[in-house]
Amino acid sequence: MKQLFDGFRSTSLEVLPNLKERYGLLLRRDLLSVQIIHNAGQVWVEYTVTDQDNYSFDNKKTVKRFCDLDNEAGDPHFSVNASIFENGRYLVEELPPTILAKMADIFDETAAAAITTYAKQG
């Protein structure tokens, strides 16, 4: 009998807990979810925040960002050909925060400004 997970392919992966562990208070406080999504040969970063106009955890606003990750990051390890788990690990552990800040609005305004300033100085 074939193993259950041999053909297993996930199309989305929640990475917010891992991002919180790495970036902590630099992240937006209203983030509810950050996912990597593989869909139709493309990679998306999808994040969900509390709708501040109708502030409630029941009111959510989801934003999807298409990411041409091979060109954006300049790294062949971050592509639609890699597994979603490899892309998730790369996003959390190796992708520079300056590129992550360009891909998705997940950092606190002050943190995003500091990241941008640091990138310009480096």
Side-chain angles (χ1 to χ4, degrees):
M1 187 167 146
K2 203 172 192 181
Q3 293 252 347
L4 178 63
F5 291 105
D6 278 357
F8 179 74
R9 284 206 172 275
S10 179
T11 58
S12 68
L13 179 67
E14 177 64 51
V15 294
L16 181 58
N18 305 83
L19 289 170
K20 282 184 176 180
E21 189 175 312
R22 180 169 185 191
Y23 295 110
L25 295 175
L26 297 176
L27 296 173
R28 293 172 60 157
R29 288 181 179 83
D30 62 348
L31 270 177
L32 302 173
S33 172
V34 178
Q35 294 185 7
I36 295 178
I37 298 174
H38 282 198
N39 187 8
Q42 297 177 331
V43 178
W44 299 80
V45 172
E46 176 183 277
Y47 60 97
T48 303
V49 296
T50 305
D51 184 355
Q52 293 180 1
D53 295 332
N54 303 302
Y55 193 77
S56 165
F57 284 109
D58 294 331
N59 295 322
K60 300 172 187 171
K61 186 166 60 174
T62 301
V63 179
K64 283 188 178 183
R65 298 280 191 225
F66 170 68
C67 301
D68 188 357
L69 298 174
D70 284 330
N71 292 333
E72 184 79 32
D75 193 319
H77 294 103
F78 204 28
S79 72
V80 293
N81 296 325
S83 77
I84 198 162
F85 303 106
E86 292 168 321
N87 281 334
R89 183 197 57 74
Y90 184 76
L91 178 94
V92 172
E93 296 176 6
E94 297 180 33
L95 190 69
T98 51
I99 294 175
L100 185 57
K102 290 178 188 176
M103 287 172 30
D105 184 22
I106 64 169
F107 290 106
D108 179 88
E109 285 182 33
T110 307
I115 289 167
T116 304
T117 301
Y118 177 77
K120 289 179 183 175
Q121 292 173 354

